[in-house]
Amino acid sequence: TDLEDLHLYATPREQRFRRFASLEFEGQLYMTPYDFIQAVTNDEPKRKQAFCIDKNARENANAELNQILMETPPVWKGSSKLFRNLNEKGVISYTEYLFLLCILTKPHAGFRIAFNMFDTDGNEMVDKKEFLVLQEIFRKKNEKRERKGDEEKRAMLRLQLYGYHTSTNSILKTEGEDLVPRSYWDTLRRSTSQALFSDLAERADDITSSLSDTTLLVHFFGKKGKAELNFEDFYRFMDNLQTEVLEIEFLSYSNGMNTISEEDFAHILLRYTNVENTSSYLENMRCRIPEEKGITFDEFRSFFQFLNNLEDFTIAMQMYNFASRSIGQDEFKRAVYVATGLKLSPHLVNTVFKIFDVDRDDQLSYKEFIGIMKDRLNRGFR
């Protein structure tokens, strides 16, 4: 009962992780690769918690954990089917879950920024210690301010999510300074240098020794943890993860075909958003695209690559707004290309307009469109 009560003290991300995580080792929760895929593509887990590894069976538990990690391929053997191939044979911690979520929402151009943030000594390689320091920053960013009386519950949550008791004082602010809500990307981009020169860097060895190996650590740094990660392998991992999740979402609707219907595309776009009456959008599209042509995977993937560049696209759209120009399909395509370098197909753009052009004047209300797409991009965690 106490553990169930913890849900009330958890953030939305913590709640989702706790709901989908199926492994428990010495009181700490972990996801399998299968759990992670389920968490980012489904509303609810398909099964309950699988099993718990007891403290009293530590020796056997470590052997079992090591056996699972033996299945992990090296980073140079990664593919866009990595998580599906590993399935239940892997462990992902909560901080790694946050890191993977961040990858799913970022443009390819931002991958170099991410890598440089991890590469604290500037040798163009990332080692295990550097990676763990940045994971600690993710943990600090996620900590929730506690009200009086919450301390015990939050302490239990921290033990369950991180495997050890932690201080609630964020390293990303000075004493007396209010916490500023920022995205994880902003935390990496703006606050990393401050964090790295804090006690975190000095405590890197302690951090390394206090954490169990996981699938990501073995994948990136080898079974002995001595390997280093270069940018090409890091880029390929991030690109593969984005592709894998999109493939899974696409295949769940395509039923083995090469395309999904325009209506299915609309369903996927409107998932995880705050749109209450999705039926009006769907009905609008059915009336205006009576003959189904279908959306290919290449079109589907290019649209979500565009969404990962939504901030730059928003700036381009504002330029039209300042000039008091309406936004038709040609303007939309041009803004996408200027902001992202992507050329969306005419059929894909037409489908998007038919979904979101509710008043049917063939113009797009960019504010409403961008608001909805920000929700979709962040999968409900905006």
Side-chain angles (χ1 to χ4, degrees), residues 66-281:
N66 289 334
Q67 187 59 43
I68 289 175
L69 294 175
M70 288 294 287
E71 306 283 336
T72 308
V75 69
W76 53 271
K77 281 190 176 181
S79 73
S80 62
K81 290 184 170 55
L82 175 69
F83 282 67
R84 283 172 284 185
N85 289 341
L86 287 172
N87 198 13
E88 302 284 1
K89 299 288 182 69
V91 290
I92 297 168
S93 70
Y94 177 62
T95 46
E96 290 171 342
Y97 166 71
L98 296 177
F99 167 62
L100 295 173
L101 284 182
C102 185
I103 288 175
L104 292 178
T105 64
K106 294 306 154 196
H108 287 191
F111 290 177
R112 172 61 79 175
I113 297 172
F115 184 82
N116 289 341
M117 290 300 184
F118 283 86
D119 179 21
T120 58
D121 58 11
N123 69 347
E124 299 190 354
M125 302 286 283
V126 170
D127 61 29
K128 184 177 179 181
K129 188 184 295 185
E130 289 171 323
F131 185 77
L132 289 173
V133 167
L134 265 291
Q135 279 206 359
E136 185 75 352
I137 291 171
F138 273 82
R139 180 187 68 74
K140 290 286 188 181
K141 168 65 177 74
N142 191 63
E143 283 187 345
K144 185 179 176 182
R145 275 189 157 179
E146 296 167 8
R147 298 184 301 271
K148 192 171 183 180
D150 290 353
E151 293 92 339
E152 185 181 349
K153 296 292 186 183
R154 287 295 302 172
M156 291 172 68
L157 258 178
R158 289 196 299 273
L159 190 61
Q160 193 180 70
L161 294 171
Y162 307 113
Y164 54 93
H165 291 285
T166 59
S167 166
T168 57
N169 292 326
S170 174
I171 55 161
L172 302 180
K173 66 183 183 73
T174 58
E175 195 64 35
E177 178 187 353
D178 287 336
L179 277 172
V180 179
R182 284 179 178 165
S183 69
Y184 289 94
W185 199 248
D186 276 347
T187 301
L188 284 175
R189 190 167 53 189
R190 301 180 187 181
S191 305
T192 302
S193 59
Q194 180 183 344
L196 292 174
F197 288 104
S198 73
D199 63 327
L200 263 188
E202 296 171 12
R203 293 193 300 107
D205 288 326
D206 294 336
I207 295 168
T208 305
S209 62
S210 66
L211 298 176
S212 302
D213 269 343
T214 62
T215 296
L216 276 190
L217 292 177
V218 172
H219 184 60
F220 287 156
F221 306 109
K223 294 177 175 64
K224 294 183 179 179
K226 303 296 185 184
E228 292 186 312
L229 183 65
N230 61 43
F231 176 70
E232 288 71 25
D233 288 336
F234 183 71
Y235 179 96
R236 189 164 53 248
F237 171 80
M238 297 179 86
D239 185 51
N240 281 338
L241 179 63
Q242 288 186 355
T243 300
E244 181 161 14
V245 171
L246 291 176
E247 279 180 355
I248 291 167
E249 290 187 304
F250 185 86
L251 292 171
S252 68
Y253 283 88
S254 69
N255 296 318
M257 305 294 285
N258 292 326
T259 62
I260 60 173
S261 70
E262 287 79 1
E263 184 172 342
D264 287 339
F265 178 67
H267 274 292
I268 294 172
L269 281 194
L270 294 171
R271 284 184 74 189
Y272 309 114
T273 68
N274 290 325
V275 174
E276 294 180 0
N277 188 16
T278 59
S279 58
S280 63
Y281 288 95

Side-chain angles (χ1 to χ4, degrees), residues 291-309:
E291 293 186 13
E292 184 181 304
K293 180 180 176 183
I295 303 292
T296 67
F297 180 71
D298 285 341
E299 289 176 315
F300 183 78
R301 188 170 188 259
S302 68
F303 185 83
F304 281 94
Q305 285 177 330
F306 147 66
L307 278 194
N308 286 353
N309 289 272

